[in-house]
Amino acid sequence: MSAQRASVESVTAWVSDATMAPSMHNAQPWRFRYMPAVGVLQLRMDRTRSMPRTDSTNRGMHLSCGAALFNLRVAAARAGWSARLTLLPDPEEPALLATVEFTESAEIDKASELYPAIGRRRSSREPFADEPVPDALLGALSGAARSEGANLSVLGEWQVDAVLDLVAEAQQDESVSPEAREELARWTASGAGEADGIPVQAFGPHRYDGRAPVRDFALGRPVPERRSAIFESHPCLAVLATAQDRPQDWLLAGQAMERVLLQAALDGLSTSLNSQALERPELRWLLRDPRSASAAACPQMLLRLGYGPVVPSTPRRAVSDVLDVEG
């Protein structure tokens, strides 16, 4: 007797949860295709949503799609199904990032416990309180990254100073680059559509004091009624890294990143992502901690953690725009 296939309705619901993942500038660079006859879901990166200036290698697109894959795993697990991933299954088609086969499972996957956080997770550009995050929570987040084959290193004070210098340098370069400004404009405010990009209300306040590395999506453009605020003076920062730096490692890093973000949301933490320094190769490698193990050799994302206000979600495209069903 053949194994039962996941229904189109179930896969559609799981893909809907997958699209709640974070992506660079909320570009949502994923495209899914489900083949019910064989029970296989394909994930491709949508190259029409690439960013040649800030993501020339498509590393960021892989991270985003990896995060979507993790949400998919969590959603399927909650419904009693196991999602078996095959990453980069076809060397002749690099845009095909993964295939997913679903099987019903009687075993309880602990990842299913993260499901409530999928709709709760936000990227916050608001000030966080200068309240330290307990070591126990930070340790659990590091464990979450390790369970996905990545490393999360919480930065000490001297490391924070060095990283903030790198982020400031990257932001300065971005502010004077016409290409970078044009690309950013495509995905923010005036350039973004109603279902993607960073809307004005998600820019967060202008920082006039504090040291948190929060990207300024206004980039000098006037934003009516935008307020100013003091951000935390001692930000809690962590670097997510992998042992190697291949496309499959980027997909693994994306899954680890989302596992950390969902766990943080369940723990009551606010989070934001900053990729500015990682968008330039010469700055990205300076984020490495020479004292860290080889598992942290390749930095993939800078995370900011803390306690902040609840912020609204950013828009998402309709599932019908990102999922095709064969047959």
Side-chain angles (χ1 to χ4, degrees):
M1 185 173 62
S2 60
Q4 184 175 349
R5 312 294 189 194
S7 69
V8 171
E9 292 77 16
S10 293
V11 173
T12 299
W14 301 339
V15 168
S16 178
D17 289 321
T19 64
M20 297 299 290
S23 58
M24 183 180 290
H25 304 350
N26 195 32
Q28 305 168 53
W30 37 67
R31 191 81 198 182
F32 295 89
R33 182 175 184 82
Y34 185 49
M35 296 173 284
V38 293
V40 173
L41 178 70
Q42 297 177 330
L43 168 63
R44 288 176 172 81
M45 60 179 169
D46 186 347
R47 294 187 185 275
T48 66
R49 295 172 172 270
S50 65
M51 301 177 193
R53 172 60 176 75
T54 52
D55 188 27
S56 60
T57 64
N58 293 327
R59 186 181 63 85
M61 293 181 74
H62 283 72
L63 286 169
S64 302
C65 289
L69 282 174
F70 186 76
N71 277 3
L72 185 81
R73 288 168 50 196
V74 170
R78 176 178 175 268
W81 290 73
S82 174
R84 183 167 66 86
L85 308 184
T86 302
L87 302 181
L88 302 172
D90 187 354
E92 301 300 318
E93 191 181 354
L96 178 59
L97 301 186
T99 56
V100 188
E101 296 180 73
F102 302 101
T103 56
E104 286 189 288
S105 176
E107 297 182 6
I108 298 177
D109 186 341
K110 286 187 67 65
S112 64
E113 298 174 1
L114 297 171
Y115 184 80
I118 289 178
R120 193 183 306 170
R121 184 212 60 80
R122 303 282 191 272
S123 293
S124 175
R125 300 173 189 91
E126 293 288 331
F128 295 170
D130 264 322
E131 175 185 350
V133 179
D135 290 341
L137 293 188
L138 295 175
L141 296 180
S142 295
R146 283 195 302 273
S147 70
E148 296 296 327
N151 182 277
L152 185 72
S153 300
V154 179
L155 305 184
E157 188 169 345
W158 71 270
Q159 294 170 304
V160 169
D161 291 340
V163 166
L164 292 179
D165 287 342
L166 295 178
V167 173
E169 181 177 344
Q171 184 149 336
Q172 174 61 27
D173 289 348
E174 183 176 75
S175 68
V176 298
S177 167
E179 297 84 4
R181 294 172 67 94
E182 181 180 355
E183 194 167 84
L184 194 66
R186 177 190 175 192
W187 295 107
T188 57
S190 59
E194 293 184 357
D196 55 16
I198 307 293
V200 169
Q201 60 268 27
F203 282 12
H206 172 74
R207 185 185 67 189
Y208 74 85
D209 200 0
R211 303 169 67 233
V214 179
R215 196 171 200 152
D216 186 359
F217 285 102
L219 214 61
R221 293 174 292 175
V223 178
E225 301 182 3
R226 188 186 187 196
R227 70 190 193 282
S228 296
I230 300 175
F231 283 72
E232 61 267 31
S233 56
H234 299 285
C236 178
L237 305 180
V239 173
L240 181 79
T242 52
Q244 299 187 66
D245 199 38
R246 305 161 299 176
Q248 55 263 47
D249 299 299
W250 304 340
L251 290 170
L252 290 173
Q255 293 178 75
M257 177 182 74
E258 185 68 348
R259 185 163 202 143
V260 168
L261 293 174
L262 295 185
Q263 185 62 59
L266 281 187
D267 291 339
L269 294 173
S270 296
T271 57
S272 65
L273 304 173
N274 190 299
S275 63
Q276 276 180 296
L278 294 105
E279 292 162 13
R280 288 180 49 190
E282 68 276 20
L283 294 184
R284 181 183 172 210
W285 297 115
L286 292 175
L287 286 173
R288 291 178 296 175
D289 182 355
R291 304 174 306 176
S292 295
S294 59
C298 304
Q300 303 294 351
M301 184 60 68
L302 177 65
L303 286 75
R304 170 178 165 245
L305 309 161
Y307 296 98
V310 176
V311 297
S313 61
T314 48
R316 288 296 186 274
R317 293 192 286 163
V319 177
S320 58
D321 292 336
V322 300
L323 172 64
D324 298 315
V325 178
E326 191 176 87

